[in-house]
Amino acid sequence: MASLNSITVSFFIVLLFSSSCSAHSDTTPEKFYQCICKNSDFSDPFSKAFFTPNTDSFNTVLNSTAQNLRCLIPSVPKPELIFTPMAESYVQAAVICAKQLNLQLRVRSGGHDYEGLSYISVMDSPFVIVDLSKLREIDVNIEENSAWAQAGATVGEVYYRISEKSKTHGFPAGLCTSLGIGGHITGGAYGSMMRKFGLGADNVIDARIVNANGTILDRQSMGEDLFWAIRGGGGASFGIILSWKLKLVTVPSIVTVFTVPKTLEDGATKILYKWQQVADKIDDDLFMRVVINVVDKKDKKGERTVQTAYNSLFLGKADRLLQIMNESFPELGLTQKDCIEMNWIESILYIAGFPTKTPPEILLQGKPTFKNYFKAKSDFIKEPIPETGLEGIWKRLLEEYSPLMIWNPYGGMMANISESETPFPHRKGVIFKIQYLTLWNEPDQELATKHINWIRKLYNYMTSYASMFPREAYVNYRDLDLGMNKNVNSNSSFVQASVWGNKYFKNNFNRLVEIKTKVDPENFFKFEQSIPTLPLTKKRKGKKINH
């Protein structure tokens, strides 16, 4: 090789990457490719499903579904390889090969991880991405009220395929239609029908998963412990989700939506205080969230104010909705002209923020409508925040360039499901959940630090109003401020992980750790906030899982 000139070397590498699996290899991408071919029936050229930083399409593939642009800046570590399998057996091979080559695996189904952990790593080890975006088949069976959806399909695609078969069936999952269904449900999956039907994770009846041995398991073969853990225990700690079997729910042929904005000048503070009294107690058919941001004052250019927008889905017609609102929440002043009747799939587009009359087929594109540099945090609120507390929030929002808060109401079915039914524990007693966001437009580290410091200060201010012991957080709003596993080459400390684990999962964290120890004792599926295994001393005692 040393005698070849540089042109010949380059030509040889091109030939190697485009040839069959029989070629000799030395680099990590080449070794991984060879191993995939050896452990599956994969026989395509390297360029068909493998992307390295040296290939032209690498950045296109890496950026394709990534939501948080701050996780794509040049200083953030990049994978040595992105693999886009087109068959379940290739995912099995990826697990086997990553173990053989001592590589970290990051698994991406939709790319919505708020800290980018499905496509970046801040740990000190080389990693590869298994991108499931080509595994997106959906099979809807209306007679059985069920649908199988592969992990790379978006929730928007799932909604569309259901609506194609029936106008009176739906599925209670996310409001953002570009979410990958695979990872979305592993964290719980809330949406605008959660008060009526619970979470997406509450409406799953089977799953297919690749475990740490590279074996494909369904509900029967994985057992009820692991099936429990993957429905809300956070993505990628226990295996790679290949597909979910979803239980469909019945929706009315006509639903009603509305968005009513109220600024501070319109009495927003008192109206929002009243909303807190009724949001979790109002009719279960009504989901009425509040989107809070900063806008320019009417007729006063350059002056800013806080706007609270009541954005809602009602599973029924406008006349019944108006009756409910007049009885329970007249302060909002909802009128007939605010109400828009439509079918369920149209309401999906409305809540997701698509322009009026957008055809539902846009959901098949699976493209994110929201890409920003951002940092997010979350809280669960169990007692109404007094008006003085709200005024303190307004003051802080007005100090920030582009702040956003979203208040999602609980109650209804959410309060009727036990905290231990799935790993998702935020149930009875929660009035609403807060999502905090700060957004910016430039890849500037100084700018990022400024905005992140602001959201941390707001979060600190909210301490006295949030749930306590623990201060709960939503795992699908991943937040590394809560703590992280520092070193990929050692077993994560159970005590260290308990800090963030108890916030996400409360008392369910201990059971998740026990199941993790049982199904992945070598801690192969690990990342910055993965569920840890128990220390070796405890493992040797043969601790049993009794639940």
Side-chain angles (χ1 to χ4, degrees), residues 285-445:
D285 286 333
L286 179 59
F287 174 86
M288 181 170 42
R289 67 174 181 164
V290 189
V291 180
I292 306 171
N293 64 352
V294 172
V295 298
D296 287 333
K297 285 184 181 179
K298 294 172 191 171
D299 306 322
K300 289 190 178 179
K301 199 172 181 182
E303 288 191 41
R304 305 201 308 160
T305 187
V306 173
Q307 176 180 274
T308 58
Y310 294 80
N311 177 235
S312 307
L313 168 68
F314 177 67
L315 298 172
K317 294 184 177 180
D319 54 355
R320 189 163 75 87
L321 169 61
L322 286 164
Q323 185 180 344
I324 290 167
M325 290 293 285
N326 288 335
E327 289 173 3
S328 301
F329 192 27
E331 291 81 0
L332 188 63
L334 186 71
T335 65
Q336 184 77 47
K337 69 177 183 181
D338 297 318
C339 302
I340 311 167
E341 293 185 339
M342 54 182 60
N343 63 35
W344 176 73
I345 196 65
E346 290 169 337
S347 78
I348 292 294
L349 296 165
Y350 178 90
I351 295 287
F354 285 98
T356 307
K357 295 187 179 176
T358 299
E361 285 71 24
I362 197 168
L363 297 174
L364 297 177
Q365 295 180 10
K367 290 184 178 176
T369 54
F370 175 88
K371 279 204 175 199
N372 288 92
Y373 300 88
F374 71 89
K375 171 67 180 175
K377 302 180 84 66
S378 61
D379 261 324
F380 288 86
I381 307 300
K382 298 187 173 182
E383 297 288 340
I385 300 169
E387 289 184 31
T388 53
L390 297 178
E391 287 163 358
I393 295 173
W394 310 152
K395 178 187 172 191
R396 287 158 177 81
L397 292 179
L398 288 165
E399 292 169 353
E400 177 64 348
Y401 167 70
S402 184
L404 183 65
M405 292 177 80
I406 303 173
W407 294 18
N408 287 298
Y410 274 53
M413 181 58 77
M414 292 300 295
N416 295 334
I417 298 173
S418 162
E419 286 193 3
S420 59
E421 181 71 20
T422 70
F424 182 96
H426 320 290
R427 304 285 188 173
K428 190 175 182 180
V430 174
I431 302 175
F432 60 99
K433 172 182 64 186
I434 296 179
Q435 176 176 194
Y436 308 90
L437 285 156
T438 177
L439 307 99
W440 59 99
N441 299 320
E442 300 292 334
D444 181 88
Q445 189 54 52

Side-chain angles (χ1 to χ4, degrees), residues 461-476:
Y461 167 76
M462 293 294 293
T463 302
S464 60
Y465 305 116
S467 59
M468 292 187 290
F469 311 116
R471 183 173 183 178
E472 299 169 39
Y474 180 37
V475 69
N476 272 0

Side-chain angles (χ1 to χ4, degrees), residues 478-494:
R478 185 79 67 183
D479 181 6
L480 293 182
D481 289 353
L482 304 180
M484 56 190 283
N485 309 323
K486 295 291 196 301
N487 189 350
V488 75
N489 295 315
S490 65
N491 279 334
S492 307
S493 158
F494 171 77

Side-chain angles (χ1 to χ4, degrees), residues 8-227:
T8 309
V9 171
S10 300
F11 179 69
F12 178 78
I13 290 172
V14 169
L15 273 179
L16 176 68
F17 272 28
S18 60
S19 65
S20 72
C21 292
S22 60
H24 176 68
S25 60
D26 290 315
T27 68
T28 295
E30 292 164 342
K31 287 178 181 176
F32 194 79
Y33 172 56
Q34 297 288 334
C35 184
I36 294 290
C37 293
K38 182 181 174 184
N39 287 280
S40 70
D41 63 358
F42 186 89
S43 59
D44 287 343
F46 183 95
S47 59
K48 262 296 196 54
F50 296 83
F51 305 89
T52 70
N54 297 323
T55 55
D56 291 341
S57 49
F58 175 81
N59 283 331
T60 302
V61 176
L62 179 64
N63 300 355
S64 59
T65 60
Q67 288 293 103
N68 196 343
L69 297 179
R70 74 180 168 89
C71 300
L72 295 174
I73 59 175
S75 60
V76 172
K78 302 294 184 286
E80 295 203 8
L81 178 71
I82 302 172
F83 176 40
T84 57
M86 294 188 70
E88 291 184 343
S89 59
Y90 305 162
V91 182
Q92 290 179 273
V95 171
I96 292 165
C97 295
K99 289 182 86 169
Q100 284 183 9
L101 298 172
N102 196 28
L103 293 168
Q104 273 193 80
L105 267 193
R106 294 293 157 117
V107 184
R108 182 167 76 174
S109 61
H112 279 244
D113 188 298
Y114 277 20
E115 297 281 12
L117 300 185
S118 62
Y119 53 93
I120 71 169
S121 171
V122 298
M123 291 174 155
D124 54 354
S125 176
F127 71 102
V128 299
I129 295 174
V130 175
D131 186 310
L132 303 176
S133 58
K134 291 181 180 175
L135 294 174
R136 57 198 317 134
E137 287 183 15
I138 300 162
D139 181 20
V140 178
N141 188 326
I142 294 299
E143 289 71 32
E144 289 187 0
N145 287 322
S146 68
W148 273 103
Q150 285 191 304
T154 65
V155 296
E157 288 174 302
V158 172
Y159 295 154
Y160 181 86
R161 294 304 179 198
I162 294 169
S163 74
E164 232 183 359
K165 295 282 183 75
S166 167
K167 299 304 178 193
T168 55
H169 284 78
F171 184 71
L175 293 81
C176 183
T177 57
S178 58
L179 287 159
I181 197 78
H184 179 47
I185 289 177
T186 62
Y190 81 89
S192 54
M193 296 199 294
M194 60 187 271
R195 301 190 65 251
K196 181 71 172 182
F197 299 111
L199 305 171
D202 299 326
N203 291 275
V204 166
I205 46 184
D206 205 343
R208 288 173 63 79
I209 182 173
V210 178
N211 71 3
N213 298 322
T215 306
I216 294 179
L217 305 172
D218 62 7
R219 180 174 183 171
Q220 184 176 0
S221 55
M222 78 175 79
E224 289 303 301
D225 276 324
L226 182 52
F227 186 63

